[in-house]
Amino acid sequence: MFRQKIIFILLLALIFVVPTGFAQPRNPTDTIKPLSQLPTHQIIIQFKIDSSLNRQIQNAETVDMMQSLSTAAGVTLTYQREMATGSHVIALPDKMSLDEVIRITARLESLPDVEYAEPDRLLQVIGERLGEPFSIEATPNDPLYTDQWHYRYSAGVSEGINAPTAWDTTIGSPSVVVAVIDTGILPTHPDLANQIVQGYDFISDTFVANDGGGRDNDPSDPGDWVEGNNTCFAGSTPSDSSWHGSHVAGTIGADSNNGTGVAGVSWESKILPIRALGRCGGFTSDIADGIIWAAGGSVSGVPTNSNPAQVINMSLGGTGSCSSTEQSAINQAVNLGATIVVAAGNSAQDASNFSPGNCQNVINVASNDRTGDIAFYSNFSTTLIDVSAPGGETNATDSNGVLSTVDSSATSPSSAAYAYYQGTSMAAPHVAGVAALMYALNSSITPAEVEQLLKDTARDFPAGSSCIGFGDCGEGIVDATAAVAAACPTESISVTPATGTFTVYLPLITRSC
């Protein structure tokens, strides 16, 4: 393992408070977008298997059940649907503050038939739209690749993921699918159109969906712009469409060596777009169903996923502990064989306060800047950060951000473009892309093995990095070349000399390795 002991890491979060003893942002003008404890109008409830309420729900006898739950809650509740986790989504009479909803769920949890009840929290994208996107004309191969410093490694100058020499071994495989649970995708973007397999739109709330409907088989991103003040929550302000899912997807697997735009980390892998975030964010219940479906699990009312993902990227999050719903969905996906990569958060706070990065069985990714320092916005943790990856930092110049695929419009889709973003949302897809390269070489590798190899092969932070001596940025900066080399499968033979039998492990001879 290439690692020095590190003590300072900043991740991705929602409210910027600099903890005592941690480094201040290097530029006093740097700011973090606040993310409040968003109000919600839904809860998630799990009944005990042998309970009378569970029997009622299985027999579709919801009227008496909802009367009992409403009496206990003190408000009128309406049944919505069953989730893939076996839990149920219940609607509140109106949007309420998170504190109010927590009090209601506590009353429900006091019922002997209830295993747990929790708010169906709205999570949000993690990353910023920075400056104006720009378009290009087709010129020689991937003309913007030279601006993607985040793929290259030059000590202390360009602390990227060291991808070019990894590409000498593998550029990925079309049999490897990476799910992007996000705002959807721009299906006609020239750097994305050939990379997509059939995904799904899991947004059930029509306001959040912003596309005129609920769940359907079209994961296209209609835009997530917000026009008015206080639209999402008290104090929220208008915002342009982020095209967040497309930016993330482009980093993972943009069409590469096609004479257009940018390159992706895994050129040949396929993107499975799963739309779970829209206007104002996305509900935990929709995200959880998307996680399970992405890995090949069954979701009621949703067609079977014919392209189960080996890797799932979640550049999203919110404040609070990992919920039972999130952990259950993650566990199911990992058991189905999916590696889950999560952005740590952009709040410059301890990552333990942000989910799903604080859930078990995920690879939690912090963000480093171009020189190998912790990005000023990144969350940190002495225990919960696994690795760091370039997420960009644009306080000095936009070109120090991460360059990827977006749309030119501030509202509805208009024309293909490219833009620099910053955030742990941008760091995570680098790791997801490297994981896809590993799966291309070794289809039998397990999620636990992927995580361990990524940590074992992570590159030491450069001398003088703010990740050394102040906090914990994880095991180091993800190194694609070292990770790919470690992923090559091995075979063993038994040797029986005079002194006894022992096993010798040899590299498995393949075209790539």
Side-chain angles (χ1 to χ4, degrees), residues 4 8 19 23 34 67 69 78 129 142 154 156 171 198 207 249 266 282 298 320 376 396 411 475 503 505:
Q4 297 172 353
F8 184 77
Q67 288 179 345
L69 292 177
T78 306
R129 176 190 174 106
D142 301 326
S154 176
I171 56 174
Q198 181 60 56
F207 172 81
S266 182
S298 177
F376 76 90
T411 53
E475 298 290 330
T503 300
Y505 293 91

Side-chain angles (χ1 to χ4, degrees), residues 285-480:
S285 55
D286 292 335
I287 294 166
D289 279 352
I291 292 170
I292 293 171
W293 189 82
S298 177
V299 179
S300 178
V302 179
T304 300
N305 177 11
S306 57
N307 299 284
Q310 291 92 334
V311 183
I312 299 173
N313 188 91
M314 294 200 294
S315 291
L316 53 86
T319 55
S321 59
C322 178
S323 67
S324 297
T325 300
E326 290 171 302
Q327 192 63 68
S328 176
I330 288 167
N331 290 347
Q332 288 188 50
V334 171
N335 288 339
L336 287 168
T339 293
I340 298 180
V341 181
V342 176
N346 293 345
S347 296
Q349 295 188 47
D350 193 304
S352 63
N353 297 320
F354 298 87
S355 72
N358 55 13
C359 296
Q360 297 177 5
N361 297 325
V362 303
I363 301 174
N364 199 11
V365 184
S367 178
N368 62 266
D369 67 9
R370 193 166 188 157
T371 63
D373 283 334
I374 186 69
F376 76 90
Y377 52 78
S378 182
N379 286 348
F380 55 87
S381 172
T382 56
T383 57
L384 287 175
I385 301 303
D386 293 304
V387 291
S388 179
E393 193 172 274
T394 60
N395 56 310
T397 175
D398 278 3
S399 62
N400 282 346
V402 171
L403 183 60
S404 190
T405 46
V406 295
D407 192 88
S408 62
S409 173
T411 53
S412 301
S414 175
S415 59
Y418 301 85
Y420 293 100
Y421 284 12
Q422 69 176 9
T424 53
S425 274
M426 287 61 253
H430 285 86
V431 178
V434 173
L437 295 177
M438 297 168 73
Y439 275 103
L441 291 177
N442 185 355
S443 61
S444 63
I445 198 169
T446 67
E449 290 169 339
V450 171
E451 178 179 350
Q452 193 59 54
L453 288 175
L454 286 170
K455 292 193 290 187
D456 288 348
T457 60
R459 189 173 69 247
D460 288 345
F461 293 101
S465 168
S466 57
C467 282
I468 301 173
F470 296 102
D472 199 342
C473 300
E475 298 290 330
I477 299 172
V478 160
D479 190 292

Side-chain angles (χ1 to χ4, degrees), residues 42 58 60 82 85 94 127 231 239 283 304 312 421 431 439 447 460-461 463 469 475 510 513:
Q42 295 182 168
Q58 296 306 319
E82 183 175 7
T85 60
D94 202 355
T231 298
S239 61
F283 283 103
T304 300
I312 299 173
Y421 284 12
V431 178
Y439 275 103
D460 288 345
F461 293 101
E475 298 290 330
T510 69
C513 290

Side-chain angles (χ1 to χ4, degrees), residues 57-419:
I57 200 71
Q58 296 306 319
N59 294 325
E61 300 169 355
T62 59
V63 175
D64 290 342
M65 181 192 74
M66 294 313 302
Q67 288 179 345
S68 298
L69 292 177
S70 296
T71 298
V75 296
T76 300
L77 303 177
T78 306
Y79 184 78
Q80 296 293 298
R81 61 183 175 85
E82 183 175 7
M83 295 176 57
T85 60
S87 303
H88 303 270
V89 180
I90 306 293
L92 296 162
D94 202 355
K95 188 179 292 187
M96 298 182 181
S97 71
L98 198 58
D99 286 342
E100 291 178 293
V101 179
I102 289 172
R103 285 192 288 270
I104 290 171
T105 55
R107 296 184 202 120
L108 293 173
E109 282 193 330
S110 67
L111 297 174
D113 285 2
V114 175
E115 185 72 33
Y116 65 81
E118 56 194 17
D120 191 0
R121 293 183 301 146
L122 274 166
L123 304 184
Q124 294 194 322
V125 299
I126 300 172
E128 291 186 48
R129 176 190 174 106
L130 297 156
E132 290 301 317
F134 54 92
S135 300
I136 64 160
E137 296 181 359
T139 52
N141 267 0
D142 301 326
L144 295 181
Y145 168 65
T146 56
D147 297 316
Q148 293 180 287
W149 63 267
H150 35 98
Y151 293 162
R152 295 183 291 277
Y153 168 57
S154 176
V157 176
S158 184
E159 292 288 342
I161 62 170
N162 197 21
T165 46
W167 294 333
D168 290 340
T169 300
T170 179
I171 56 174
S173 168
S175 65
V176 176
V177 176
V178 183
V180 177
I181 302 179
D182 215 294
T183 63
I185 203 159
L186 295 163
T188 61
H189 196 294
D191 259 340
L192 298 176
N194 295 327
Q195 306 301 96
I196 303 168
V197 294
Q198 181 60 56
Y200 204 80
D201 180 355
F202 275 90
I203 300 178
S204 52
D205 186 283
T206 55
F207 172 81
V208 173
N210 201 32
D211 62 0
R215 290 186 170 186
D216 55 49
N217 63 357
D218 182 7
S220 301
D221 188 349
D224 55 0
W225 79 98
V226 177
E227 292 181 336
N229 289 316
N230 305 310
T231 298
C232 296
F233 56 92
S236 67
T237 58
S239 61
D240 293 342
S241 289
S242 65
W243 315 116
H244 191 270
S246 293
H247 197 281
V248 168
T251 297
I252 293 169
D255 200 348
S256 305
N257 202 35
N258 66 338
T260 300
V262 295
V265 176
S266 182
W267 300 5
E268 295 294 320
S269 64
K270 295 300 181 182
I271 301 297
L272 176 70
I274 294 178
R275 187 166 182 252
L277 303 176
R279 188 162 45 186
C280 301
F283 283 103
T284 298
S285 55
D286 292 335
I287 294 166
D289 279 352
I291 292 170
I292 293 171
W293 189 82
S298 177
V299 179
S300 178
V302 179
T304 300
N305 177 11
S306 57
N307 299 284
Q310 291 92 334
V311 183
I312 299 173
N313 188 91
M314 294 200 294
S315 291
L316 53 86
T319 55
S321 59
C322 178
S323 67
S324 297
T325 300
E326 290 171 302
Q327 192 63 68
S328 176
I330 288 167
N331 290 347
Q332 288 188 50
V334 171
N335 288 339
L336 287 168
T339 293
I340 298 180
V341 181
V342 176
N346 293 345
S347 296
Q349 295 188 47
D350 193 304
S352 63
N353 297 320
F354 298 87
S355 72
N358 55 13
C359 296
Q360 297 177 5
N361 297 325
V362 303
I363 301 174
N364 199 11
V365 184
S367 178
N368 62 266
D369 67 9
R370 193 166 188 157
T371 63
D373 283 334
I374 186 69
F376 76 90
Y377 52 78
S378 182
N379 286 348
F380 55 87
S381 172
T382 56
T383 57
L384 287 175
I385 301 303
D386 293 304
V387 291
S388 179
E393 193 172 274
T394 60
N395 56 310
T397 175
D398 278 3
S399 62
N400 282 346
V402 171
L403 183 60
S404 190
T405 46
V406 295
D407 192 88
S408 62
S409 173
T411 53
S412 301
S414 175
S415 59
Y418 301 85

